[in-house]
């Protein structure tokens, strides 16, 4: 898992040319996968940071498969770490309505 975390951390290197939606989606997915790995390892503080970062990156997308995946990971992480005290329903549906 540590090798995978090392690989995923390379995706976050800032590149001024990396504004293409594919690159942004890849960055958001790497945050989500990193959050899932950290959740499995029991690192709840870092898990929440990664999930929130992924959500922030992907929120501007309207209809994109990466958005659905990242928001579902965010919801799962927040539920499992206790950050969401009560079930909120589908966060993705609420954000889609807001946009």
């Amino acid at each position: 898992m540590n090798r995978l975390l090392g690989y995923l951390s390379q995706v976050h290197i800032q590149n001024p040319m990396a504004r293409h939606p594919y690159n942004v989606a890849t960055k958001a997915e790497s945050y989500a996968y990193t959050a899932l790995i950290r959740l499995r390892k029991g690192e709840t503080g870092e898990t929440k940071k990664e999930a929130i970062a992924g959500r922030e990156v992907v929120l501007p997308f309207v209809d994109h498969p990466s958005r659905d995946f990242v928001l579902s990971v965010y919801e799962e992480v927040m539920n499992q770490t206790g950050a969401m005290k009560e079930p909120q329903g589908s966060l993705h549906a609420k954000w889609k309505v807001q946009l």
Side-chain angles (χ1 to χ4, degrees):
M1 277 197 252
N2 290 332
R3 288 177 60 187
L4 183 57
L5 286 174
Y7 171 75
L8 289 172
S9 70
Q10 294 298 312
V11 176
H12 301 306
I13 294 174
Q14 294 297 324
N15 180 355
M17 302 302 286
R19 298 286 183 223
H20 189 275
Y22 175 78
N23 295 331
V24 174
T26 302
K27 184 175 184 177
E29 287 176 355
S30 70
Y31 280 126
Y33 283 120
T34 303
L36 290 173
I37 291 169
R38 291 192 186 282
L39 182 64
R40 180 169 280 193
K41 290 176 73 174
E43 302 171 1
T44 57
E46 292 296 318
T47 300
K48 288 192 267 188
K49 288 179 188 176
E50 295 287 342
I52 291 169
R55 181 196 68 179
E56 295 300 318
V57 170
V58 82
L59 276 179
F61 291 161
V62 177
D63 288 323
H64 196 280
S66 294
R67 185 176 199 262
D68 296 338
F69 169 69
V70 172
L71 293 179
S72 67
V73 168
Y74 171 79
E75 189 171 344
E76 178 183 343
V77 165
M78 292 302 152
N79 284 331
Q80 288 192 17
T81 58
M84 244 181 242
K85 301 297 181 195
E86 56 191 41
Q88 300 287 324
S90 173
L91 293 176
H92 172 47
K94 289 182 183 179
W95 287 323
K96 196 166 188 173
V97 168
Q98 289 177 1
L99 296 175

